Amino acid sequence: MERINIATRSRTQAVDITAQVQEIVSRSPTKSGLVVVCSVHTTAGVTINENADPDVMSDVMEALARLVPRAGPYAHAEGNSDSHVKSSLVGSSVTVPVEDGELQLGTWQGIYFCEFDGPRRRRVLVQIIPGG
Ligand code: ZN
């Protein structure tokens, strides 16, 4: 298993980690199968969306902010309940097929780490599962 360390810079931020995941896949002896990309945090997530127009991910992050306001009412007293809810909405992992050492993403797709309670030091685990 490999890891990607990410230092986020603001409370909410979408970080394109496609190149780092591809780099891990490229140097793996496993050339085909699946790669699982997993955030190990409860106030962040991982998703796949368009990486051609950066406005798409800023729209996604702003839509999540409108859907899940920072001010409650919430029971969790830490002040970051919106971050926890967004983490569950986005999900904590994605799975991408790998063939010939290449991520099999669509033309416009990228893998994003989504920070919902930064700035923080974050960790994403990358596990390649061999397969035909
Ligand atoms: Zn909390």
Side-chain angles (χ1 to χ4, degrees):
M1 182 155 46
E2 303 257 2
R3 63 178 60 191
I4 299 169
N5 296 307
I6 302 164
T8 59
R9 288 167 191 191
S10 53
R11 186 166 191 268
T12 63
Q13 185 185 355
V15 182
D16 187 342
I17 58 170
T18 314
Q20 289 101 308
V21 177
Q22 178 59 59
E23 198 264 321
I24 289 167
V25 166
S26 294
R27 62 183 152 72
S28 167
T30 303
K31 294 302 169 201
S32 68
L34 296 170
V35 63
V36 180
V37 181
C38 185
S39 155
V40 295
H41 305 286
T42 62
T43 55
V46 177
T47 193
I48 292 175
N49 214 311
E50 177 167 335
N51 68 355
D53 179 359
D55 283 346
V56 172
M57 275 314 290
S58 55
D59 282 347
V60 168
M61 297 299 274
E62 283 179 25
L64 285 167
R66 287 192 299 273
L67 281 170
V68 188
R70 188 169 182 177
Y74 297 112
H76 178 59
E78 212 176 21
N80 63 354
S81 291
D82 60 318
S83 319
H84 290 288
V85 173
K86 289 173 185 172
S87 173
S88 278
L89 286 175
V90 164
S92 62
S93 71
V94 296
T95 304
V96 180
V98 172
E99 197 170 83
D100 299 326
E102 297 287 332
L103 292 170
Q104 299 299 296
L105 290 166
T107 308
W108 310 110
Q109 286 184 313
I111 305 168
Y112 284 89
F113 177 81
C114 299
E115 175 63 84
F116 297 123
D117 195 26
R120 291 190 193 212
R121 294 196 160 277
R122 300 295 204 173
R123 199 163 79 244
V124 171
L125 305 182
V126 178
Q127 175 73 57
I128 302 170
I129 302 165

Coordinates of all heavy atoms in Angstrom, one line a residue, residues 42-43 76 78-81 84 117 120, ligand 1:
T42 N -12.6 11.7 8.6 CA -14.1 11.8 8.7 C -14.6 13.2 8.3 O -15.8 13.4 8.3 CB -14.5 11.5 10.2 OG1 -14.0 12.5 11.0 CG2 -14.1 10.1 10.6
T43 N -13.7 14.1 8.0 CA -14.1 15.4 7.5 C -13.5 15.8 6.2 O -13.2 16.9 5.9 CB -13.8 16.5 8.6 OG1 -12.4 16.5 8.8 CG2 -14.5 16.3 9.9
H76 N -23.3 17.5 17.4 CA -21.8 17.4 17.6 C -21.2 18.7 17.9 O -21.4 19.7 17.1 CB -21.3 16.8 16.2 CG -19.8 16.6 16.2 ND1 -19.1 15.8 17.0 CD2 -18.9 17.1 15.3 CE1 -17.8 15.8 16.7 NE2 -17.7 16.6 15.6
E78 N -18.2 19.9 18.1 CA -16.8 20.3 17.7 C -16.8 21.5 16.7 O -15.8 22.0 16.4 CB -16.2 19.1 17.1 CG -14.7 19.0 17.2 CD -14.1 17.7 16.7 OE1 -14.8 17.1 15.8 OE2 -13.0 17.3 17.1
G79 N -18.0 21.8 16.2 CA -18.1 22.9 15.2 C -17.8 22.6 13.8 O -17.7 23.4 12.9
N80 N -17.7 21.3 13.5 CA -17.4 20.9 12.2 C -18.4 19.8 11.7 O -18.0 19.0 10.8 CB -15.9 20.3 12.0 CG -15.7 19.1 12.9 OD1 -16.5 18.7 13.7 ND2 -14.5 18.5 12.8
S81 N -19.6 19.9 12.2 CA -20.6 18.9 11.7 C -20.9 19.0 10.2 O -21.1 17.9 9.6 CB -21.9 19.1 12.5 OG -21.7 18.8 13.8
H84 N -18.4 16.8 8.5 CA -18.7 15.4 8.6 C -19.8 15.0 7.7 O -19.7 13.9 7.0 CB -19.1 15.0 10.1 CG -18.0 15.1 11.1 ND1 -17.0 14.2 11.2 CD2 -17.8 15.9 12.1 CE1 -16.2 14.5 12.2 NE2 -16.7 15.5 12.8
D117 N -12.6 20.4 6.2 CA -12.3 21.0 7.5 C -10.8 21.3 7.7 O -10.2 21.0 8.7 CB -12.7 20.1 8.6 CG -12.8 20.7 10.0 OD1 -13.0 22.0 10.1 OD2 -12.7 20.0 11.0
R120 N -5.3 21.3 6.9 CA -4.8 20.2 7.7 C -3.8 19.4 6.9 O -3.8 19.5 5.7 CB -5.9 19.2 8.1 CG -6.9 19.8 9.1 CD -7.7 18.6 9.6 NE -8.9 19.0 10.3 CZ -9.5 18.3 11.3 NH1 -9.0 17.2 11.6 NH2 -10.5 18.8 11.9
Ligands
ZN1 ZN -16.0 16.7 14.4

